[in-house]
C-alpha cells in the first residue's frame, strides 16, 4: 500500500524537492535560510504544531509536533531529525540548476538533504491520507547549521532527543550501495593563528619572519596526526595569510576539521593540537 502510494506521489515529491533546492540555503546566510524556513513552516503547518526557534547566528530552527490520537498519553515521541542548510554557496544554483536524468535528480543540496525534508513531510502526510494510526507522537526537528557542526542547534538536538523514544536521522545513505548511516564520528573544529614579522621581501627579507612558511610547517604536522587505520582524519580546509607579494607575511591562519570514532583518538588529537608550538625559527607559537 505504501509503495503504491509513494509511486503515485513521485511527481509531487520531485516537484517539492525542486522547490526546496530553489531556496539556496548556505549555513552562514541567515536571510536565505530564513526564507526556506518560512516555506517549510508553511508546508508543515497542516501536519502539526510548528514552533519556530529564533537563531540570531543563522537560520531559525523549526520543531514540528505531530499528535497521535490513538497513542497512550505517556507515549514518548519519535524524533525525525533533518537539516535544511547546505554547503553550497549562493549563486551555485545558476551554474548547476535542478534537473532529473533517468532515475536521478541533481541540484545543489538535493541529496544532502533537501530530499529528506520532503521524505519527512510526505511520510506524515501519507499516514493521514491512508488512515494509518501513529503508535506514538512524532517530533520533526529541522535545523539550519548541521553543515558547520551544529553550533547553535546542538543543545536543542540533545534536549529534544532526550525526550524522545527513538531518533531517525534522515541523512542520505552512503554510496555505493545506498547503505543507511547508523553511526557518526565525533568532530571538532580548530583554528590556528600564526604571528610572524613583516619586512620588505626584496630589500631586507632577513628581518622578516614568514607566518606563511610557518603555516606550511604546521600543515605537515597536522596531517601527520591522522590515523586512517582507526578512522581518525584531519583536514586543513581553509588557509589565509599575508598582505602582498613583496612583503614577508606577518600573519597567517588556517582551519582544521578533525574527526574520530573514539574518545581516545579525539583526546589524542586535541592534546597534540593544543600542545603544538612554532616549528620555524623565531616565529610566534601557533595558537589552536
Amino acid at each position: 500500500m505504501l509503495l503504491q502510494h509513494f509511486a503515485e506521489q513521485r511527481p509531487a515529491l520531485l516537484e517539492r524537492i525542486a522547490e526546496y533546492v530553489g531556496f539556496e540555503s548556505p549555513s552562514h546566510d541567515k536571510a536565505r535560510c530564513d526564507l526556506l524556513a518560512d516555506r517549510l513552516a508553511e508546508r508543515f503547518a497542516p501536519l502539526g504544531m510548528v514552533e519556530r526557534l529564533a537563531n540570531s547566528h543563522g537560520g531559525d530552527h523549526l520543531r514540528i509536533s505531530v499528535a497521535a490520537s490513538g497513542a497512550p498519553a505517556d507515549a514518548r515521541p519519535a524524533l525525525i531529525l533533518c537539516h535544511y542548510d547546505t554547503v553550497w554557496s549562493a549563486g551555485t544554483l545558476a551554474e548547476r540548476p535542478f534537473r532529473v536524468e533517468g532515475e536521478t535528480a541533481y541540484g545543489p543540496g538535493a541529496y544532502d538533504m533537501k530530499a529528506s525534508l520532503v521524505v519527512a513531510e510526505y511520510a506524515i502526510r501519507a499516514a493521514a491520507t491512508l488512515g494509518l494510526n501513529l503508535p506514538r507522537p512524532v517530533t520533526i526537528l529541522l535545523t539550519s547549521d548541521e553543515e558547520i557542526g551544529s553550533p547553535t542547534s546542538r543543545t536543542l538536538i540533545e534536549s529534544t532527543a532526550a525526550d524522545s523514544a527513538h531518533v531517525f536521522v534522515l541523512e542520505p545513505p552512503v554510496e555505493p550501495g545506498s547503505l543507511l548511516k547508523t553511526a557518526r564520528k565525533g568532530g571538532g573544529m580548530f583554528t590556528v593563528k600564526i604571528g610572524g614579522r613583516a619586512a620588505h621581501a626584496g630589500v631586507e627579507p632577513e628581518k622578516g619572519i614568514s607566518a606563511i612558511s610557518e603555516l606550511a610547517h604546521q600543515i605537515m604536522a597536522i596531517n601527520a596526526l591522522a590515523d586512517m587505520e582507526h578512522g581518525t582524519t584531519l583536514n586543513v580546509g581553509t588557509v589565509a595569510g599575508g598582505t602582498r607579494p613583496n612583503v614577508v607575511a606577518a600573519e597567517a591562519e588556517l582551519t582544521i576539521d578533525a574527526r574520530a570514532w573514539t574518545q581516545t583518538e579525539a583526546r589524542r588529537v586535541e592534546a597534540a593540537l593544543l600542545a603544538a608550538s612554532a616549528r620555524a625559527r623565531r616565529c610566534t607559537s601557533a595558537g589552536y
Side-chain angles (χ1 to χ4, degrees), residues 10 19 22 42 47 78 89 94 99 132 157 169 175 187 215-216 233 262 268 284 287:
R10 187 175 188 272
E19 179 190 3
E42 182 180 29
L47 306 179
S89 301
R99 71 187 194 281
L132 302 176
I157 293 169
V169 183
E175 295 295 342
L215 180 144
T233 61
T262 67
R268 177 185 69 82
T284 303

Side-chain angles (χ1 to χ4, degrees), residues 2 12 49 139 175 209 218-219 232 240 253:
L2 282 173
M49 183 183 71
T139 302
E175 295 295 342
I209 303 173
Q218 292 293 328
I219 289 175
T232 304
E253 181 174 316

Side-chain angles (χ1 to χ4, degrees), residues 15-118:
E15 179 183 355
R16 197 65 54 215
I17 294 170
E19 179 190 3
Y20 291 167
V21 170
F23 285 87
E24 293 186 291
S25 51
S27 305
H28 291 291
D29 194 326
K30 177 172 176 58
R32 283 187 168 85
C33 282
D34 279 347
L35 285 175
L36 179 52
D38 292 341
R39 182 57 175 147
L40 290 169
E42 182 180 29
R43 289 291 305 176
F44 279 94
L47 306 179
M49 183 183 71
V50 177
E51 182 183 4
R52 185 159 182 154
L53 304 162
N55 175 23
S56 61
H57 299 286
D60 293 345
H61 309 303
L62 299 176
R63 183 162 52 193
I64 302 98
S65 300
V66 181
S69 58
D74 60 349
R76 298 169 68 196
L79 172 61
I80 297 176
L81 181 60
C82 302
H83 66 87
Y84 67 85
D85 61 317
T86 73
V87 299
W88 302 99
S89 301
T92 303
L93 187 63
E95 303 171 358
R96 305 177 64 171
F98 181 84
R99 71 187 194 281
V100 178
E101 295 182 3
E103 294 297 311
T104 306
Y106 299 86
Y111 191 64
D112 188 8
M113 62 180 309
K114 289 178 177 177
S116 297
L117 302 174
V118 178

